[in-house]
Amino acid sequence: MGSLTDMVFRDQVDWVDPLTKMFNTLKKQGYHLIGSHAAVKKCLWVHNALVYNKFCYKCRFYGIESHRCIQFSPAVSWCWNSCLHCWRARPFDYGLEGPELIRLPYVEDPEFLAEMAILEHRRTVSGYAKRTSREMYREAIDPKHVAISLTGESTLYPRLGELIEVFHRKGLTTFLVTRGVRPDVLSNLEEEPTQLYVSLETWNEEMYREFNRPAGANLWRLTLQTLELLQSLSTRTVIRFTMIKGYNMRSEDVGGFAKLIDIANPTFVEIKAYMHVGASIGRLSRSSMPSYEEVMEFAEKLAKATSYKLVSSSRPSRVALLTRLEGPVVRYGKGCPKAWEEKDVEGEKYVEEYK
Ligand code: SF4
């Protein structure tokens, strides 16, 4: 039974609100929390670029200089989905659900978030001054790109358009990744991102409910609305399909995903393997992770089914790129060193080692 003090103390210790519990976990995982709802976390490819001169697949596809990329989220503990393949900390797993998830408790100023994101990125690379070349280090502390993805649903930050505008004004390009649950926010952005991603694993409501575990009954309908909306945006758009072996790589899935491409007519389609890492390993097996060859085979089928062209791929990241664009793909930033392409197989080792 133990003493009264023990009981009171234990109850106090045990009762930590879900948000604080999640923040404590994120801090242990290396997240640099910003204000009451945002965070920066160093991406493995920032490390690989600075230490091994190996760059992420977005370097090859779009010329993103990985060591100058800020991995950022304006809504780190807020998401309306609890996807089975999610390798990050899901709010749902910390008891955050219902009204707590609907909106952020407080809305930080976009200028403050942008300034802090740059400062925190510099802190995450400050330890590399002696582990990389002077030029790479000088570039790393002068970031040129923000990946507004990391974790959580960024469109739940109500001043997202203003934040994107601030980052652009500071000379950074922005890739925004969303699950598409807020077409209302995406259609009213003060400024569109440099590139907008919609991340999907399913192509009908039944699969969506089973795999993406939506917090609301109308989220599949809203996701379809977002796909319809993509055609009206002026920025480059991407649908990224995450492939889970034994789940969404059948022949009928080719037709299902092709229909979504038809609705959205995105600039690019990325077909990327699910990676058996992080929190997802408790929900999916290692055999759910398709190989590079299996991803390429599915990509070729989808290209045939949609008249999109297969234009590039990355073996280490098990991802293929389709596009409807003619001619070479415009690349931002300085792009990756040529060598990276030749040593494709070699890259595999670096990914494994870093995890
Ligand atoms: S673009 Fe994505 S993968 Fe590449 S360095 Fe930035 S966060 Fe990492």
Side-chain angles (χ1 to χ4, degrees), residues 43-46 56-58 64-67 69-71 145 147 149 175:
C43 172
L44 84 155
W45 288 101
V46 171
C56 69
Y57 78 83
K58 292 171 191 131
I64 299 299
E65 300 165 272
S66 310
H67 60 307
C69 170
I70 304 174
Q71 190 175 219
H145 180 71
S149 59
F175 280 11

Side-chain angles (χ1 to χ4, degrees), residues 12-24:
Q12 276 171 349
V13 169
D14 279 355
W15 198 90
V16 175
D17 70 281
L19 193 55
T20 306
K21 250 190 204 160
M22 188 168 181
F23 280 172
N24 291 343

